[in-house]
Amino acid sequence: MIAGKEADDWGRVTNAETERRPLVRELIEAGFQQEGGETADEWLRWLLATENEIIERGRSIRSELLQEAQTASEGQKAARAYERHRE
């Protein structure tokens, strides 16, 4: 998910999210602990922080795209009005 976010490849982020959910559930149920002693609790805190960062970036991009779409729509309206005025 992080690699997809950094590459602005949101399809990749979405696919990774679909794969990630069942894995996280399995880890929690198994009482996950990494070799370095990192507990599931620590890992989940990191995961949530990372996920929140990805969500915020997605919201920011969505907002930018909506603003671009609105600007384009306003431009199209102005062009149509101009064309009607010229006729």
Side-chain angles (χ1 to χ4, degrees):
M1 289 174 66
I2 294 169
K5 176 196 74 104
E6 290 172 352
D8 267 348
D9 183 350
W10 295 96
R12 186 174 173 188
V13 172
T14 302
N15 291 338
E17 166 64 11
T18 302
E19 295 171 9
R20 182 197 60 82
R21 285 178 188 242
L23 293 174
V24 170
R25 201 170 297 117
E26 286 177 33
L27 290 171
I28 292 169
E29 290 170 2
F32 173 76
Q33 184 167 351
Q34 280 190 328
E35 290 178 17
E38 184 177 41
T39 63
D41 205 35
E42 294 165 329
W43 184 80
L44 287 171
R45 273 194 221 102
W46 172 83
L47 178 66
L48 289 173
T50 302
E51 195 167 79
N52 285 336
E53 179 184 331
I54 290 169
I55 290 168
E56 286 305 312
R57 178 66 179 137
R59 285 181 180 153
S60 174
I61 288 173
R62 182 184 65 199
S63 177
E64 290 170 14
L65 291 174
L66 287 172
Q67 190 171 22
E68 287 176 19
Q70 184 176 1
T71 300
S73 177
E74 290 170 2
Q76 289 173 343
K77 287 178 187 176
R80 283 193 297 270
Y82 176 75
E83 284 299 316
R84 281 193 302 266
H85 179 69
R86 280 186 39 191
E87 295 172 351

